[in-house]
Structures are given as C-alpha cells and as structure tokens.
Amino acid sequence: TKETLLKLGVPENEVGAFKIYEGKGCQECGQTGYSGRNGIFEAMPITPAIEQLILKQASSAALREQAVKEGMLTLRTAGLSKIKRGFTSVEEVLAESSV
C-alpha cells in the first residue's frame, strides 16, 4: 500500500514509480517465493567526525545521525534499493530492518 511504502521511506513522489515484486512460490523454491540469498548491509566508516563522537561517548542516535549525514546507507535504505531493483520484497525488508 501507499502507506507501507511511505513508512518504508519511499518519497511520496516515487510511490508508484517502480514495480514491486512478490514471490508466489514454486517447487524449485520450496513454495517460499525466494531463491538464494541477497544481503542488505549497513556499514559505518569511522571518519574523523565519527571518531570524535565515539571518544565523547556520544549516543548511538548521534553516531547514526552523523553517519547518515556523511552518506552511510541504513539497512532500510539499502533494502529499499533492493526492492526497487526487484531483488527482494517489501515484507522481507520490513522484517529485517527498522526505522
């Protein structure tokens, strides 16, 4: 639904701009709709700004905020990219990532 996509972080102007796939299942995939594995990752490089926050014992929220400012992709953002490319489903990304 539009609400689910907005919750996932899709900008409103992109809702409906890409096709969303959902696996139906077959004998080959054991009726799961999925075949193989495809990871989503969140990696935070330790930049000078991040290092200073760590040394100041900043909160995890402050660290995350700075990392995102510096271009880190969150799990949710990485998952959304895989949805847009047809590699995974909305349900899988919602199950494996948080806001």
Side-chain angles (χ1 to χ4, degrees):
T1 65
K2 178 179 179 178
E3 293 76 29
T4 301
L5 292 174
L6 292 173
K7 177 183 172 186
L8 197 60
V10 176
E12 191 161 1
N13 64 326
E14 288 185 24
V15 172
F18 54 93
K19 187 169 179 139
I20 296 176
Y21 297 91
E22 182 178 3
K24 296 207 184 295
C26 63
Q27 188 173 3
E28 191 173 313
C29 70
Q31 304 303 323
T32 65
Y34 299 98
S35 177
R37 294 183 180 261
N38 194 334
I40 57 173
F41 304 95
E42 177 178 272
M44 182 178 70
I46 306 300
T47 63
I50 297 290
E51 180 180 16
Q52 288 304 309
L53 287 171
I54 292 169
L55 292 172
K56 291 178 184 176
Q57 298 182 349
S59 69
S60 60
L63 287 166
R64 181 182 184 86
E65 181 180 329
Q66 182 63 35
V68 169
K69 280 183 189 175
E70 294 182 18
M72 180 187 85
L73 294 180
T74 64
L75 278 177
R76 183 62 59 90
T77 305
L80 180 56
S81 174
K82 300 256 175 150
I83 291 169
K84 288 179 177 181
R85 294 183 307 183
F87 293 153
T88 193
S89 68
V90 170
E91 292 78 19
E92 283 295 303
V93 172
L94 287 173
E96 301 302 328
S97 66
S98 61
V99 177

